[in-house]
Amino acid sequence: MSHTATSPVLARDRNGPAGTEPAGSPAPRRQIRWHQRFLRDRALIMMALPGLALVLGFHYLPLVGNVIAFQDYVPFLPFGSSPWVGWENFEIIFNGDPAFLRALRNTLVLTLVQVLFVFPAPIALALLLNSLLSERVKRVVQSILYMPHFLSWVIVVAVFQQMVGGSGLLNNTLRAHGLDPISLMGNSDLFVGLLTTQVIWKDTGWATILFLAALSQIDSSLYEAASVDGASRTRQLWHVTLPGIRGLIILLLILRLGDSLTVGFEQIILQQQAVGLAASEVLDTYVYNNGIVGGQWGVSAAVGLVKGLVGVLLVLGANKVAHIFGEAGVYKS
Amino acid sequence: MSASRRLDAPPMPARVLKGIALTVICALVIIPFVGILSTSLASREQVNAAGGFVLLPSSVTLDAYRSIFAGGVVSQAMLVSIGITLVGTTVSLVASTMLAYALSRHGSFGQKPMLMLVLLTLLFSPGMIPNYLVVKEFGLLDSYWALILPTALSGFNVIVLRAFFMGVPAELTDSARIDGAGHLTIFTRIMLPLSKAVLAVIGLFYAVGYWNAFFNALLYMNDSSKWPLQLVLRTYVVNNAELGASDLGATVDVVPPQASVQMAILVVTIVPILIVYPFLQKHFAKGVLTGAVKG
């Protein structure tokens, strides 16, 4: 794109000698040796190196570390010299380790609840914002609602404690009126609801960005036509607005499903103490608690590996489905 | 836009209902912050009378802030967080922009495989335990670098920067090449000055990430004297550990109410985000959309 040739000299520089070699040059057309290209681009390679080193060191090297899923890992031995145990660590998981099953069940319950309640929230909010007539009000509301996204989970959990925790605003008000305080943050039955509320509070505003962009792309003549045909505002919403963002909704839903086994690690680990493991252990916290805290390195690494592989498969599958739906969306418009 | 799109204005009751809904939603976000700020500023008597949380202070005192800045645990953690954020953001920006520039030059040596390496990091994460082992094998446990290097490069940010560099008109770089400029000159003299806005946004994203980092510190920092603010916040606010005179600093003789000190820690953790937020907000919608479409 930005590299369409504009001068012969430059075309050679960038794309090799694409028919632009000066007459009499001994180099064969369309081919320069790899070491010549290496020498030519050495400045670029030098520039890429620091970033590349970080990618290799902290994204690809850890992949090798997954071999300890096949070891009885002993932390103080040099790396790779722990005894090999084959599939033993995986057998422990797949033979139905109760702690693992509990973590798996909690993870899936959380994913389901969050798809049902967290996912539609930004769509509803975006529709509400989009229906505002005043641009200024819209912008002010957006500025306020985007903000919590930039706060860390530690801050969000602390904020919730101040509002609905044991000595927070809600319970202080209840006590001041002679009512019994309610334990919203220490109750294991309410934990899923608490996590969901926190996610909604933190990220709903932020997630409206994409939907608002999609809504602004809808052709306004569709609304005019619908209006002329006598469609009420509700019917316009149903027949024009929602179909207009259907592609995006499906795409995001599928990508979310691809992430099913990942539910807020930081958010949960911060609040686990108050509600106990039975209600709050998910796969990520299981790996942390059993591996790094509990010293069961091999088993936890095996769980992490299985989770990672399932995650990649889900993302790849979801991407494929999303691609199919994406094409359908392009075809429709 | 919406005004011209809709021929018929919504009926009155619907508009009132909408107004109420929006006010409630915004209040749910704003009230907690007002309360936190108020509690950090309120007097001892008022905090005790309210049972720990004050929505509006009747009189204002800075005692809580004086005590956390007196050189104790919180001051130390602030220095750590500021240092990590400054050094980390610099490392991240330098590495990301140079890599993004190299990846934006088509047909250069190794451009395609390197781009694949970066794109693939968006697809998977290696897992917590292998990450921990790598940091341990590098000898980074309890080192400040453990808070920086593992998250120093975000593939997503590199892709956004690369898209921006590729959008710079080829005529500019071509004319520079004719004048004899190498890649380093083009990068520093043309690309970087042209991309100040996107650099600011990506830099702020990195900075917010470092400032908010909790997980890396939890995993890699056993030495509590090296804790960043987020871990101090976890220990003394979320887990409610007692912050005594010895934790606050030698010069504090009167310890303000625990609730005020906790809220003051919360405020100093939030304020830097609030300061950079308007700058972020000006550009981020565009940045996010670029990334979402091209990434």
Side-chain angles (χ1 to χ4, degrees):
Chain A
M1 313 160 223
S2 58
H3 300 284
T4 37
T6 48
S7 84
V9 179
L10 291 162
R12 185 193 59 195
D13 253 14
R14 263 187 257 101
N15 304 323
T20 56
E21 280 296 304
S25 162
R29 298 190 147 206
R30 292 188 180 278
Q31 265 181 14
I32 52 173
R33 301 268 172 80
W34 68 266
H35 59 264
Q36 287 173 307
R37 289 176 62 213
F38 182 84
L39 280 178
R40 183 194 66 189
D41 295 329
R42 61 190 182 280
L44 281 178
I45 293 164
M46 293 298 287
M47 287 169 80
L49 277 183
L52 215 54
L54 287 169
V55 171
L56 292 176
F58 292 100
H59 280 276
Y60 288 93
L61 194 58
L63 292 180
V64 182
N66 271 315
V67 296
I68 74 154
F70 302 95
Q71 289 180 336
D72 181 17
Y73 181 71
V74 187
F76 47 83
L77 288 180
F79 189 75
S81 47
S82 298
W84 296 92
V85 295
W87 294 95
E88 201 176 280
N89 292 324
F90 293 89
E91 278 160 20
I92 293 174
I93 308 168
F94 288 115
N95 286 342
D97 172 36
F100 169 75
L101 288 181
R102 181 179 67 186
L104 182 64
R105 194 186 57 230
N106 284 340
T107 306
L108 294 175
V109 167
L110 261 176
T111 298
L112 183 70
V113 171
Q114 299 205 349
V115 167
L116 286 178
F117 292 96
V118 176
F119 189 78
I123 303 175
L125 184 62
L127 291 175
L128 179 61
L129 287 174
N130 192 55
S131 73
L132 291 182
L133 295 179
S134 158
E135 278 295 311
R136 213 171 63 215
V137 172
K138 195 165 135 188
R139 227 170 298 138
V140 170
V141 174
Q142 277 176 294
S143 300
I144 294 170
L145 297 185
Y146 288 172
M147 223 288 289
H149 172 78
F150 293 98
L151 303 176
S152 68
W153 272 114
V154 188
I155 296 176
V156 173
V157 171
V159 165
F160 265 74
Q161 280 186 341
Q162 295 314 310
M163 291 295 116
V164 298
S167 58
L169 182 65
L170 176 70
N171 280 330
N172 285 346
T173 316
L174 287 176
R175 279 193 209 97
H177 291 82
L179 298 165
D180 286 333
I182 12 174
S183 164
L184 290 179
M185 296 199 68
N187 188 336
S188 55
D189 294 330
L190 300 177
F191 192 60
V192 173
L194 176 73
L195 292 181
T196 309
T197 314
Q198 288 168 343
V199 177
I200 291 177
W201 188 83
K202 188 175 192 278
D203 279 328
T204 298
W206 179 251
T208 59
I209 289 184
L210 282 176
F211 291 108
L212 284 170
L215 286 170
S216 71
Q217 299 288 317
I218 298 175
D219 189 350
S220 59
S221 61
L222 290 174
Y223 288 103
E224 285 159 26
S227 182
V228 169
D229 289 346
S232 68
R233 290 180 59 82
T234 325
R235 290 196 72 87
Q236 288 179 29
L237 176 74
W238 186 251
H239 291 291
V240 180
T241 310
L242 284 179
I245 58 172
R246 194 184 59 197
L248 180 69
I249 293 176
I250 292 173
L251 179 88
L252 291 180
L253 187 60
I254 290 168
L255 289 177
R256 173 66 190 84
L257 291 176
D259 240 0
S260 297
L261 296 185
T262 307
V263 275
F265 171 80
E266 290 190 13
Q267 185 192 6
I268 295 171
I269 206 89
L270 279 163
Q271 305 181 89
Q272 204 156 45
Q273 266 185 344
V275 293
L277 292 181
S280 67
E281 188 87 309
V282 294
L283 288 178
D284 282 334
T285 57
Y286 174 91
V287 171
Y288 175 76
N289 286 327
N290 287 277
I292 288 167
V293 178
Q296 287 193 12
W297 296 91
V299 178
S300 300
V303 171
L305 189 57
V306 170
K307 175 183 170 285
L309 287 176
V310 173
V312 170
L313 287 178
L314 284 172
V315 171
L316 285 177
N319 263 341
K320 204 168 177 63
V321 180
H323 187 71
I324 294 166
F325 276 101
E327 279 190 346
V330 171
Y331 174 71
K332 266 190 83 69
S333 70
Chain B
M1 283 264 295
S2 2
S4 63
R5 184 193 295 164
R6 300 285 157 78
L7 298 176
D8 40 350
M12 204 54 196
R15 292 173 68 179
V16 173
L17 223 62
K18 240 183 250 176
I20 295 173
L22 284 173
T23 313
V24 170
I25 293 171
C26 289
L28 285 176
V29 172
I30 294 174
I31 287 175
F33 296 109
V34 175
I36 286 163
L37 188 65
S38 304
T39 310
S40 74
L41 293 170
S43 65
R44 171 182 297 277
E45 295 72 35
Q46 203 188 353
V47 172
N48 289 340
F53 196 76
V54 179
L55 207 49
L56 277 177
S58 49
S59 65
V60 167
T61 163
L62 291 176
D63 284 351
Y65 292 93
R66 256 181 233 120
S67 70
I68 62 171
F69 286 121
V73 172
V74 185
S75 315
Q76 169 66 24
M78 271 212 96
L79 288 181
V80 171
S81 279
I82 292 171
I84 298 293
T85 304
L86 290 179
V87 176
T89 306
T90 312
V91 170
S92 289
L93 268 184
V94 170
S96 305
T97 49
M98 292 202 306
L99 181 59
Y101 177 76
L103 294 180
S104 72
R105 303 297 99 178
H106 270 300
S108 63
F109 182 85
Q111 187 245 359
K112 272 184 190 155
M114 287 196 293
L115 184 60
M116 276 314 289
L117 276 182
V118 174
L119 284 175
L120 280 177
T121 63
L122 300 180
L123 200 62
F124 61 87
S125 70
M128 188 186 307
I129 296 213
N131 276 336
Y132 178 86
L133 292 179
V134 163
V135 170
K136 179 169 163 272
E137 292 292 321
F138 280 149
L140 293 178
L141 290 185
D142 274 331
S143 146
Y144 292 126
W145 289 110
L147 301 182
I148 294 176
L149 295 180
T151 49
L153 202 91
S154 142
F156 181 80
N157 287 345
V158 173
I159 300 301
V160 171
L161 285 167
R162 172 178 178 265
F164 189 87
F165 291 151
M166 285 173 56
V168 171
E171 286 78 8
L172 279 173
T173 49
D174 287 348
S175 61
R177 302 216 74 171
I178 291 170
D179 293 344
H183 279 299
L184 202 61
T185 318
I186 293 177
F187 175 66
T188 53
R189 305 281 284 277
I190 296 179
M191 287 299 179
L192 292 186
L194 278 177
S195 36
K196 273 181 200 144
V198 71
L199 289 180
V201 178
I202 298 286
L204 285 174
F205 272 128
Y206 275 128
V208 170
Y210 284 116
W211 184 258
N212 281 342
F214 162 74
F215 176 50
N216 281 352
L218 178 72
L219 276 183
Y220 308 131
M221 304 303 262
N222 294 318
D223 181 354
S224 63
S225 68
K226 292 179 174 174
W227 276 358
L229 262 180
Q230 303 288 340
L231 270 191
V232 165
L233 196 62
R234 197 263 322 234
T235 308
Y236 295 106
V237 180
V238 175
N239 289 353
N240 231 341
E242 185 84 6
L243 252 173
S246 59
D247 301 315
L248 288 171
T251 55
V252 180
D253 35 279
V254 185
V255 180
Q258 201 66 207
S260 295
V261 176
Q262 289 181 337
M263 292 310 99
I265 303 175
L266 206 43
V267 170
V268 297
T269 318
I270 296 173
V271 159
I273 305 260
L274 286 181
I275 293 173
V276 300
Y277 177 66
F279 299 99
L280 267 174
Q281 215 220 349
K282 220 167 86 188
H283 302 286
F284 60 35
K286 211 175 143 199
V288 167
L289 291 178
T290 313
V293 173
K294 301 199 173 169

